[in-house]
Amino acid sequence: IRTVDSLPLPLVLAVAAFFKGLVCPPEAPGFWGVRLPRWSPRECRAALLEASRLGPRWAPLEGPSPHAVLSRLVRAASAGLASLGEEDSWLAPFKELVDRDACPADLWRKDAAGRWRGAEDPDPIY
């Protein structure tokens, strides 16, 4: 959540809709349906470092993959938004990343020399 302000606007709105769909409906904590392993503080720190390096391609030592968890949470957020009478179309940019098993950095491309050239689909606002 802390880096949301550095994302393209459509993704900022998607992340906001994601969290609204997860935490705002009264029944939210009961329908996420994702069980995560219990790790020690040391294991959590190591996992955080590894996940920050590998993004969605990180593979935890135990438990579900990030893709499996995020897919389930996106469905839960969609259901949560629907229960609030909200459109789940706001989730589309976030869902696309999850479906592609990608992170925002993966949407940037390099030229033949390996230099960053910009986003695949630059936001016209910028």
Side-chain angles (χ1 to χ4, degrees):
I1 295 173
R2 115 187 127 81
T3 60
V4 167
D5 63 339
S6 63
L7 298 173
L9 185 58
L11 198 49
V12 170
L13 297 172
V15 171
F18 174 74
F19 283 106
K20 181 177 183 176
L22 286 179
V23 300
C24 289
E27 73 282 1
F31 74 78
W32 291 0
V34 176
R35 295 199 185 273
L36 300 175
R38 291 182 165 247
W39 292 338
S40 69
R42 178 183 293 223
E43 291 168 321
C44 284
R45 281 190 297 278
L48 179 61
L49 289 173
E50 196 67 7
S52 68
R53 191 171 66 79
L54 298 174
R57 289 166 292 286
W58 166 67
L61 296 175
E62 63 177 293
S65 70
H67 180 79
V69 171
L70 286 171
S71 295
R72 186 77 177 256
L73 291 175
V74 167
R75 287 193 305 274
S78 179
L81 289 172
S83 77
L84 294 168
E86 300 278 343
E87 284 286 325
D88 74 344
S89 60
W90 291 101
L91 294 172
F94 190 65
K95 185 178 181 315
E96 180 182 338
L97 283 175
V98 172
D99 289 347
R100 291 173 69 171
D101 209 15
C103 67
D106 293 327
L107 301 180
W108 286 74
R109 55 190 162 83
K110 293 182 180 181
D111 65 12
R115 294 181 302 251
W116 291 107
R117 301 303 296 171
E120 287 178 5
D121 185 16
D123 188 333
I125 292 174
Y126 300 113

